[in-house]
Amino acid sequence: MSQDTSLIDSFPFSSHLKSNYIPFDEEALQIKAFLTEPCKQLEKMKAEMDRLQAEFDSLKSKYDNLHHQFTSCAALITLPRRLPNDVLQEIFYQTLPTDRNALLNKNTAPLIFTCICRQWRQVVFSTPRLWSTINIHVIPKPLHPWSDPIILSDEPLPQQWDELRATAASEWLKRSGDLPLHISFVANRKQLPSPAFVDLYLKFMIPFSYRWKSLVLEGPSSSFSRISTLEAADLRSLELLLLDFDPIEYGGIHSSPQELISTWSKCGLLTSPSLRKLSIRRVVLMDPTALGVNWSQLTHLEL
């Protein structure tokens, strides 16, 4: 749409526009007289714009108020609210990762669903299979503890940050009922000053060892020394074991395969009566038979 240029077209000094021309006093009076009527029109337009803006603001306020009330009422008939709990449970379950265990993180399933509404929170907490897998990445305390991505139950928790996260993992597994558990621990020696940080988590997790079906341990072997004391009877459900031990311990000390065999050969992890799949990575074993594994019961082996 082309602009109206009638004012400039009729301006007697239009040829001097966009120049450094300085009008004489007589010419300045002509220009003021010429602009008198356009000035009145501008004032009239401004008044009309203000009136229309006031009408718009009033209508907008009424619209916003009605829209808020409308959405509040319509929320009662939205589809998510009317879905049966068993359908919600299946939807939530289908969001769990299939290539790894669920993360201890409020921004991912299943914890993220506890932040939506009371109904979803109740459904999530009462669905054991949502809590039967967990990936525990032991991380150091952040600069701002309140930014840690964990949500627990309504029960008060210890204020100490590491204790809170370990308790969160314990609460997680309590919600799994009697289901078999799939657990993975990741301890990065470059992030943690000592194995004590991992041991705090293990203290809360070992009471569930009789339900461990698959277990992944990744990090320096000393991080998991508490597990090495478990008996086979404590791990009677364990079918899959992956040991990804960092050959360098805390403080840069190298651990030898002989030390690993000495520590883990009699561990219930390797002698579990249900063990079928075994994977040991980053450790060169000169004599795997020294591990004390019942090799005949294995169906999968990776060394």
Side-chain angles (χ1 to χ4, degrees), residues 60-163:
K60 178 69 165 54
S61 178
K62 293 177 181 178
Y63 172 86
D64 290 342
N65 179 52
L66 180 59
H67 184 266
H68 175 72
Q69 297 180 65
F70 173 84
T71 53
S72 296
C73 297
L76 291 175
I77 57 173
T78 55
L79 181 59
R81 184 186 291 263
R82 302 177 66 196
L83 286 175
N85 286 351
D86 59 333
V87 175
L88 282 175
Q89 289 174 329
E90 185 61 30
I91 292 174
F92 295 158
Y93 180 73
Q94 292 299 326
T95 65
L96 295 179
T98 57
D99 58 341
R100 55 172 171 75
N101 293 331
L103 298 176
L104 184 65
N105 188 311
K106 73 176 182 181
N107 297 315
T108 60
L111 282 176
I112 192 171
F113 298 120
T114 66
C115 306
I116 306 303
C117 65
R118 181 183 300 177
Q119 180 200 6
W120 283 24
R121 184 180 177 90
Q122 292 174 344
V123 170
V124 171
F125 282 165
S126 61
T127 308
R129 61 177 177 161
L130 295 177
W131 308 97
S132 62
T133 79
I134 186 171
N135 181 306
I136 302 174
H137 190 166
V138 184
I139 56 178
K141 181 178 180 180
L143 295 177
H144 304 293
W146 55 84
S147 66
D148 182 54
I150 298 178
I151 290 183
L152 270 178
S153 65
D154 296 326
E155 296 297 321
L157 297 170
Q159 295 303 309
Q160 209 277 342
W161 189 81
D162 300 301
E163 183 95 358

Side-chain angles (χ1 to χ4, degrees), residues 5-44:
T5 60
S6 58
L7 180 64
I8 290 180
D9 292 340
S10 61
F11 185 48
F13 298 93
S14 59
S15 60
H16 296 300
L17 296 177
K18 298 182 181 180
S19 72
N20 294 325
Y21 178 73
I22 302 175
F24 293 104
D25 293 344
E26 224 178 85
E27 293 173 326
L29 292 174
Q30 286 182 266
I31 294 173
K32 288 181 180 180
F34 177 83
L35 295 177
T36 300
E37 184 59 29
C39 183
K40 292 179 180 180
Q41 293 180 18
L42 288 173
E43 291 175 352
K44 185 178 180 180

